[in-house]
């Protein structure tokens, strides 16, 4: 009797898995972008692949203009134009399609999927990516809206503040360009400081889908950083940075200060930690703390899921950012579930 009790106690302990139960299928994405989660889920429910789920899920955000940070009409650059970055990765074949600085095409992740499906390339950029998209049948449209126009005009009226220049004349913290480089400047200004985070100027949808059989796919879509210097590409469309998928292990996706984060390939790093046996939330935390060694208060978050459906997330505490919201839909729950993690 005593032995039985002891055994059942042990079984309870063993069956309790911290960091999210392993349940498949699973869709998880950054922020509270629930309609994207739901759209991806429907694809899986109807027997679609995790790759299709991620594409349709992120495309939903492009249609909804999630927080103004995904799709058309958000984050105008210094010329007032909205440009899009996206990627999609198939964790079975390690096939990737990506586009960056995409202009006048709304469905960026659709174009990324076309790069994956219809070319032997991985990454197309700029005007040429738009030409590719048009040849693949995507509609050519103006991405500017009344709202993005007014964000741009306000910025011009505020002497182009904030912006992404440094060590230039005239002083970029006071005036608009055009700027010239300061020759022989003594130190890089603002190398380690994060501006107070305007959460809506950096968001990105990053999504991981794992189907019933454990096939992993990931994707991202974003319109980048508001008032970016034209041509700027963030972490989102870069494999291993914005997201990474490997069906033998799991997937990860990142959001936040992409200019910094892309230097650390956080999504690749998180998947590698899981490959070494780390549970997903721990893998996410380790990834964040590794970047913090160099940039202690950087703004960013990572979501992680392994191929058995266990998941987690972690974020880096920055001015104005102490908690990170993400969304989960998995077998056994009927609605997208908003989850929160405290930043480290
Ligand atoms: C996924 O993570 C959970 C929780 O840490 C763990 O129990 C499970 O074994 C992991 N799955 C794989 C395939 O590593």
């Amino acid at each position: 009797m005593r032995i039985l009790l002891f055994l059942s106690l042990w079984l309870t302990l063993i069956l309790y898995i911290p960091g999210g139960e392993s349940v498949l299928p699973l869709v998880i994405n950054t922020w509270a972008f629930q309609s994207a989660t739901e759209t991806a889920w429907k694809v899986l429910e109807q027997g679609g692949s995790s790759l299709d789920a991620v594409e349709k899920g992120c495309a939903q955000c492009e249609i909804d203009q999630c927080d103004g940070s995904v799709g058309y009409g958000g984050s105008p650059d210094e010329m007032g134009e909205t440009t899009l970055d996206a990627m999609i990765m198939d964790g079975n074949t390690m096939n990737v399609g990506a586009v960056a600085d995409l202009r006048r095409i709304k469905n960026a992740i659709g174009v990324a999927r076309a790069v994956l499906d219809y070319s032997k390339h991985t990454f197309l950029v700029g005007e040429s990516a738009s030409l590719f998209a048009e040849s693949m049948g995507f509609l050519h449209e103006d991405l500017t809206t009344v709202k993005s126009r007014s964000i741009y005009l306000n910025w011009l009226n505020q002497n182009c503040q904030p912006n992404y220049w440094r060590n230039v004349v005239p002083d970029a913290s006071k005036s608009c360009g055009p700027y010239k480089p300061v020759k022989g400047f003594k130190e890089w200004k603002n190398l380690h400081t994060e501006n107070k985070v305007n959460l809506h100027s950096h968001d990105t949808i990053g999504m991981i889908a794992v189907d019933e059989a454990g096939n992993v796919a990931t994707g991202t879509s974003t319109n980048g950083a508001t008032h970016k210097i034209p041509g700027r590409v963030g972490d989102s469309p870069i494999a291993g940075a914005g997201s990474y998928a490997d069906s033998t292990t799991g997937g990860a996706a990142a959001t936040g200060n992409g200019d910094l984060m892309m230097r650390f390939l956080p999504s690749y790093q998180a998947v590698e930690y899981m490959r070494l046996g780390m549970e997903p939330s721990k893998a996410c935390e380790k990834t964040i703390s590794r970047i913090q060694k160099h940039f202690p208060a950087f703004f960013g978050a990572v979501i992680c899921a392994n191929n058995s459906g266990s998941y987690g997330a972690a974020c880096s505490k920055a001015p104005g950012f102490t908690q990170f919201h993400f969304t989960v839909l998995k077998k056994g729950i009927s609605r997208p579930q908003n989850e929160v993690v405290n930043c480290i």
Side-chain angles (χ1 to χ4, degrees), residues 54-296:
V54 158
E55 184 198 336
K56 296 295 179 281
C58 292
Q60 186 66 51
C61 246
E62 291 169 347
I63 295 165
D64 297 347
Q65 301 172 284
C66 287
D67 274 358
S69 66
V70 183
Y72 69 101
S75 306
D77 67 12
E78 286 195 330
M79 304 298 284
E81 187 172 0
T82 295
T83 65
L84 307 181
D85 298 347
M87 72 154 293
I88 186 162
M89 179 159 190
D90 180 340
N92 289 349
T93 58
M94 306 311 277
N95 201 357
V96 174
V99 287
D101 194 22
L102 180 71
R103 291 153 191 264
R104 301 181 304 277
I105 309 279
K106 284 184 177 172
N107 181 204
I109 195 157
V111 182
R113 177 69 189 265
V115 172
L116 185 153
D117 281 340
Y118 306 120
S119 86
K120 295 178 185 173
H121 295 310
T122 292
F123 203 166
L124 297 182
V125 302
E127 293 290 345
S128 311
S130 307
L131 288 179
F132 168 82
E134 280 176 59
S135 74
M136 292 289 107
F138 290 85
L139 212 61
H140 176 135
E141 292 169 277
D142 188 356
L143 303 190
T144 302
T145 58
V146 171
K147 187 158 178 223
S148 69
R149 185 86 194 147
S150 96
I151 295 171
Y152 171 59
L153 293 177
N154 280 337
W155 178 78
L156 280 182
N157 284 332
Q158 288 163 22
N159 294 322
C160 309
Q161 304 301 314
N163 61 62
Y164 291 88
W165 296 85
R166 63 179 171 209
N167 307 316
V168 292
V169 282
D171 185 347
S173 67
K174 296 193 179 68
S175 25
C176 291
Y179 306 107
K180 292 261 185 306
V182 171
K183 295 277 159 51
F185 62 89
K186 291 287 185 293
E187 58 185 309
W188 285 283
K189 278 190 194 149
N190 305 326
L191 186 58
H192 293 281
T193 54
E194 189 84 64
N195 294 334
K196 182 160 166 44
V197 174
N198 172 3
L199 287 178
H200 298 313
S201 76
H202 284 86
D203 313 357
T204 296
I205 182 157
M207 179 180 278
I208 310 166
V210 189
D211 71 10
E212 197 106 45
N215 300 304
V216 183
T218 61
T220 64
S221 184
T222 182
N223 50 31
T226 312
H227 315 309
K228 63 191 171 191
I229 299 172
R232 180 267 190 186
V233 173
D235 59 333
S236 300
I238 297 169
S243 84
Y244 199 69
D246 181 344
S247 295
T248 66
T249 302
T255 182
N257 184 340
D259 292 303
L260 282 185
M261 291 175 83
M262 69 159 79
R263 303 168 191 173
F264 298 88
L265 296 178
S267 295
Y268 176 77
Q269 187 62 61
V271 169
E272 290 312 299
Y273 281 138
M274 289 190 281
R275 194 191 305 282
L276 295 174
M278 229 172 260
E279 63 180 54
S281 46
K282 192 81 207 156
C284 273
E285 278 168 27
K286 282 269 282 185
T287 300
I288 292 291
S289 60
R290 235 175 116 147
I291 304 175
Q292 285 177 328
K293 288 200 180 93
H294 300 271
F295 300 99

